[in-house]
Amino acid sequence: TILDNDNIQQPYKHLSILSAEGSTYDEALNKIIKLAFDLKADVLINFKQDLATSSNVKTSFNSNSIRTKINKTYTLQTSAISI
């Protein structure tokens, strides 16, 4: 369910700012959902996401090859509230 400011009755209780990382978006999202569930949060607001990439390049002069491994790290942050 998606809520906007009109749907959230005041006052609400801010529980925590949650942050999680994963090698995929779904992995990070599942970690956020688990954290929110453990806190008994009703709603997640102010959802932010970031993707960082890094590459590891290996060259082999004997076989004339280049291998590149790209690592992705998804970071999600949100506020958990109780309404």
Side-chain angles (χ1 to χ4, degrees):
T1 303
I2 298 174
L3 301 175
D4 59 24
N5 289 341
D6 295 332
N7 299 110
I8 299 175
Q9 300 293 320
Q10 295 289 340
Y12 61 85
K13 181 181 178 185
H14 183 264
L15 300 174
S16 181
I17 295 175
L18 307 178
S19 182
E21 291 183 351
S23 58
T24 66
Y25 177 85
D26 288 341
E27 180 184 344
L29 182 60
N30 286 335
K31 289 178 180 180
I32 287 282
I33 291 170
K34 170 121 176 53
L35 291 169
F37 179 81
D38 291 345
L39 282 174
K40 297 181 177 30
D42 295 313
V43 179
L44 300 175
I45 60 172
N46 300 328
F47 203 87
K48 298 175 187 175
Q49 64 180 355
D50 185 44
L51 171 62
T53 59
S54 63
S55 58
N56 184 0
V57 179
K58 292 187 179 185
T59 58
S60 173
F61 294 107
N62 295 335
S63 64
N64 292 330
S65 66
I66 300 173
R67 242 184 341 175
T68 304
K69 181 179 180 185
I70 299 174
N71 298 312
K72 296 178 184 177
T73 302
Y74 293 83
T75 303
L76 304 179
Q77 187 176 39
T78 187
S79 293
I81 64 171
S82 177
I83 54 176

